Amino acid sequence: MKFKVQVDVSLRSGIADPAGATIERALPALGYEGVSGVSVGKTIRFTIEASDQEEAEAHAEDLCASFLINPVIEDATVTVEAGNGDL
Amino acid sequence: MKFKVQVDVSLRSGIADPAGATIERALPALGYEGVSGVSVGKTIRFTIEASDQEEAEAHAEDLCASFLINPVIEDATVTVEAGNGDL
């Protein structure tokens, strides 16, 4: 059975976010006022083969913690859904 | 009034995704089987100041189309929510 997985990766609070800071600094010069707290994260989407939802979640969390994110500076939210279409 | 905005940026279908392809190719060697269709996108979160939800949505879409994404190769989904906490 196939499951769609979405991993949202964001920087832990307190970790410098140069991409976000650059966007925030550039916006007023481009005419966009009133934007604050810009942060840039990653989203990784994939399809995983597993026998049930629990196995899919366990595999996805494991994969995420050991390979997809750097737990020292990043936090991740893993969402698993049945089906093999687009998440 | 403050609104939380989340912009999900993903590559248009047909556009090469080298980061996703590298993850997909590396996983079997690392002992993770059954993973396919890996794609890597970006998430940009920020807080915007606007008088109502419609204005916030219009500003966010405009900002997104003109500055945050490259519409030639990327698609974006903009989500606007009232409040200034974390999205």
Side-chain angles (χ1 to χ4, degrees):
Chain A
M1 201 176 160
K2 290 192 171 192
F3 295 86
K4 295 176 290 178
V5 181
Q6 177 170 333
V7 180
D8 279 302
V9 184
S10 57
L11 288 166
R12 283 176 181 270
S13 62
I15 301 292
D17 181 349
T22 304
I23 294 174
E24 196 163 333
R25 210 169 46 233
L27 288 174
L30 293 160
Y32 296 99
E33 301 288 343
V35 177
S36 60
V38 183
S39 73
V40 178
K42 268 187 307 188
T43 311
I44 302 156
R45 293 182 177 83
F46 54 88
T47 306
I48 200 168
E49 185 79 49
S51 53
D52 57 34
Q53 177 96 12
E54 273 177 31
E55 194 191 315
E57 278 173 23
H59 274 190
E61 296 267 3
D62 184 28
L63 202 157
C64 179
S66 63
F67 182 62
L68 296 177
I69 74 157
N70 175 353
V72 177
I73 58 164
E74 293 170 332
D75 264 333
T77 315
V78 179
T79 317
V80 178
E81 231 179 73
N84 58 2
D86 290 328
L87 195 68
Chain B
M1 203 177 158
K2 290 193 170 191
F3 294 86
K4 296 175 289 177
V5 181
Q6 177 170 333
V7 180
D8 280 300
V9 183
S10 56
L11 288 166
R12 283 177 181 269
S13 62
I15 302 291
D17 182 349
T22 304
I23 293 174
E24 196 163 335
R25 212 170 45 234
L27 288 175
L30 293 161
Y32 296 99
E33 302 288 343
V35 177
S36 60
V38 183
S39 74
V40 179
K42 266 187 308 187
T43 311
I44 303 156
R45 292 182 177 84
F46 54 88
T47 305
I48 200 167
E49 186 80 47
S51 54
D52 57 33
Q53 176 96 13
E54 273 177 31
E55 193 191 315
E57 278 173 22
H59 273 190
E61 297 266 2
D62 183 29
L63 202 156
C64 179
S66 63
F67 182 62
L68 295 178
I69 74 157
N70 175 352
V72 177
I73 57 164
E74 292 170 333
D75 264 331
T77 314
V78 179
T79 318
V80 178
E81 232 178 73
N84 59 2
D86 290 329
L87 195 70

